[in-house]
Amino acid sequence: MNSTTIAQRRLIAQHITQAAATPAEVVQSLGAIQAQDYLGALWALGLRTPGATEQQVEAAIAAKQIVRTWPMRGTIHFVAPADVRWMLDLLTPRVMRGTQSRLRGLEIDAALLARCADILGQALAGGQQLTRPAIYELFASHGIAATGSRGLHILGQLSMRGLLCFGARDGKQPTFTLLDEWVPATAALPTDEALARLALRYFTGHGPATAQDLMWWAGLTLSEAKAALAEVAPQLASAMFDGQHYYFAPALADITVDAHEVFLLPPFDEFLLGYRDRRAMLEPAHMNLVAPGSNGIFNPIVVIGGRVVGTWKREFKQRGVVTTWVPFDTFDATQNDAIAAAAKRYGAFLGMPVRLP
């Protein structure tokens, strides 16, 4: 095991080189996929599904095959309907405790959240879906201010408590709906069983990875991550690198990756953000080019052979989507051609012609 095999096996585990059959299967396999950048998250599913289009991914969301909510780290993810409730139960209590100071600063307390829950429970009953502006207007009609980030914090808190989740998009606006009406109820899991299920899903969908990577990804304590790993380690393969034990699905040991294959990954993609230690994919010296200023915003990335070698961006124009890319060092003609081909695949996903630099 070395850094190259770690990065390349992660490409396989995450269905970037070994695509899954449907967007829902991608989400199920990885456990959760970061989705705060909605359009980027659609592409994260599309690039992992053969021949998928943006419309097909959104259709899977509208068909309730994928749920978008706040299951871990206070961040929006896609999760499978069968997983959403036990993940919320397991992972959000610590997040919510950590937000209390911020909520006090916004004058959001338990009584206010209960009022908002009652208002939305009535407004969304019967399968209704409302956009965020419509919800904020509804709050205002009841004398509740939702200006600044206050409204989003209220919606996030109610989602982490299991009342709300995102619905289907209304034009360019996301909607919210009642979780209990959006997806069927599922049985609660004992904590140790939920931790074990989470760990197995993570290591098979993200491995090779360490206990510290699981801790970061799920927002667990290190003792929780190690206990969960101990439960599922017999079902995993493992190898040592740089003094660390890495765990992964046994089948990964027999699959190789084309070291020249190019992928254009969206911002916040699990391939980079799914790990505490990202050195196998990204040189630390280049981190500021991916996440300038360390402000939590991650740029889309160019990946060749498992290594992040540049960034890219897209801009919608009247006659299509313009894609440009910037290498950390330089791209040769063959690499530029391969990146252009990857950009055309992105255009096909969007159903738009691609204009290249």
Side-chain angles (χ1 to χ4, degrees):
M1 178 82 75
N2 55 44
S3 60
T4 298
T5 55
I6 290 170
Q8 292 184 351
R9 286 179 181 178
R10 287 173 176 174
L11 285 175
I12 301 165
Q14 290 204 20
H15 294 294
I16 296 172
T17 60
Q18 302 285 325
T22 67
E25 288 182 13
V26 173
V27 174
Q28 173 73 23
S29 179
L30 270 69
I33 290 183
Q34 202 136 335
Q36 69 268 54
D37 182 304
Y38 182 72
L39 296 181
L42 295 179
W43 173 229
L45 297 181
L47 69 90
R48 291 168 166 87
T49 309
T53 66
E54 189 174 69
Q55 288 182 337
Q56 290 170 343
V57 176
E58 291 212 274
I61 296 168
K64 308 173 186 179
Q65 298 167 7
I66 299 164
V67 180
R68 186 173 179 241
T69 189
W70 277 266
M72 61 179 72
R73 302 198 317 272
T75 302
I76 301 171
H77 287 73
F78 286 136
V79 294
D83 296 334
V84 61
R85 288 182 178 82
W86 67 259
M87 282 191 177
L88 291 171
D89 290 343
L90 177 68
L91 301 174
T92 61
R94 181 177 289 116
V95 175
M96 289 189 287
R97 289 194 297 270
T99 62
Q100 291 308 301
S101 176
R102 177 60 175 151
L103 295 182
R104 284 193 296 271
L106 293 169
E107 298 182 347
I108 299 172
D109 58 16
L112 178 67
L113 289 173
R115 282 188 65 202
C116 292
D118 287 341
I119 292 166
L120 290 177
Q122 295 179 43
L124 297 174
Q128 296 299 308
Q129 302 174 54
L130 290 177
T131 64
R132 199 162 66 187
I135 290 173
Y136 292 173
E137 288 181 12
L138 180 62
F139 285 165
S141 72
H142 286 79
I144 299 171
T147 52
S149 63
R150 195 170 192 248
L152 188 58
H153 274 85
I154 292 171
L155 294 175
Q157 289 289 314
L158 296 180
S159 297
M160 285 188 277
R161 285 163 168 77
L163 176 70
L164 305 177
C165 67
F166 286 93
R169 192 161 56 148
D170 182 1
K172 294 185 178 181
Q173 287 286 338
T175 66
F176 288 84
T177 192
L178 296 176
L179 176 63
D180 283 347
E181 294 189 3
W182 190 248
V183 295
T186 52
L189 293 180
T191 299
D192 56 349
E193 185 178 340
L195 281 169
R197 184 176 296 188
L198 186 74
L200 186 62
R201 196 77 56 81
Y202 176 73
F203 287 110
T204 55
H206 288 74
T210 66
Q212 289 81 1
D213 290 323
L214 171 62
M215 175 187 72
W216 147 255
W217 180 76
L220 302 175
T221 65
L222 185 56
S223 61
E224 287 172 331
K226 287 182 174 179
L229 173 57
E231 286 291 319
V232 300
Q235 302 175 61
L236 301 169
S238 67
M240 288 286 294
F241 173 66
D242 199 22
Q244 293 269 7
H245 284 281
Y246 285 78
Y247 296 85
F248 50 94
L252 287 185
D254 300 322
I255 305 175
T256 58
V257 168
D258 181 354
H260 304 290
E261 194 166 7
V262 172
F263 301 95
L264 298 183
L265 302 189
F268 305 102
D269 193 84
E270 286 291 316
F271 180 68
L272 191 58
L273 264 71
Y275 310 90
R276 182 182 184 187
D277 185 348
R278 299 162 183 151
R279 290 174 296 173
M281 298 87 73
L282 177 65
E283 289 289 341
H286 295 146
M287 187 64 195
N288 194 54
L289 299 174
V290 173
S294 300
N295 60 0
I297 303 300
F298 282 71
N299 290 322
I301 52 177
V302 180
V303 174
I304 301 180
R307 297 289 295 176
V308 181
V309 294
T311 60
W312 68 286
K313 63 181 180 180
R314 55 105 175 99
E315 185 177 4
F316 294 111
K317 298 287 189 180
Q318 229 175 4
R319 290 179 293 170
V321 57
V322 178
T323 57
T324 56
W325 49 91
V326 180
F328 295 152
D329 297 313
T330 57
F331 292 142
D332 60 31
T334 300
Q335 289 172 326
N336 275 313
D337 288 345
I339 295 169
K344 290 179 180 178
R345 181 185 172 194
Y346 177 59
F349 170 75
L350 297 175
M352 301 175 68
V354 173
R355 295 168 55 191
L356 302 173

